[in-house]
Amino acid sequence: PLIGAKVKDIRSMTESELQVEGWEAPYREGVTCLELEDGTVLYPSADGEGNGPGKLFGTTKEGQAFVLLERQDK
């Protein structure tokens, strides 16, 4: 279902989204997520068991590494 999906927003996870995961302060500050047009929310985890939040990293097609942060132009 993610193939061809479009990103609607890049934002911080909401308080209720963080609570659903059981992520408590201070480990949940500034958890950036991707919200898709269909309402799907993608977010990073520290591990495969969801024991804590993480950061999304990427690499451009030119090989430039980056960290995904929430949009600042809101």
Side-chain angles (χ1 to χ4, degrees), residues 2 4 7 9-10 14 16 18 21 23-24 33-35 38-39 42 45 47 52-54 57 65 70 72:
L2 298 179
V7 175
D9 199 4
I10 300 171
T14 65
S16 61
L18 293 164
E21 291 303 320
W23 294 342
E24 298 181 9
C33 64
L34 297 174
E35 183 176 349
D38 70 357
L42 304 172
S45 175
D47 59 33
F57 285 80
E70 72 176 273
Q72 299 298 309

Side-chain angles (χ1 to χ4, degrees), residues 19-35:
Q19 286 179 354
V20 166
E21 291 303 320
W23 294 342
E24 298 181 9
Y27 305 106
R28 64 182 190 180
E29 299 301 319
V31 180
T32 303
C33 64
L34 297 174
E35 183 176 349

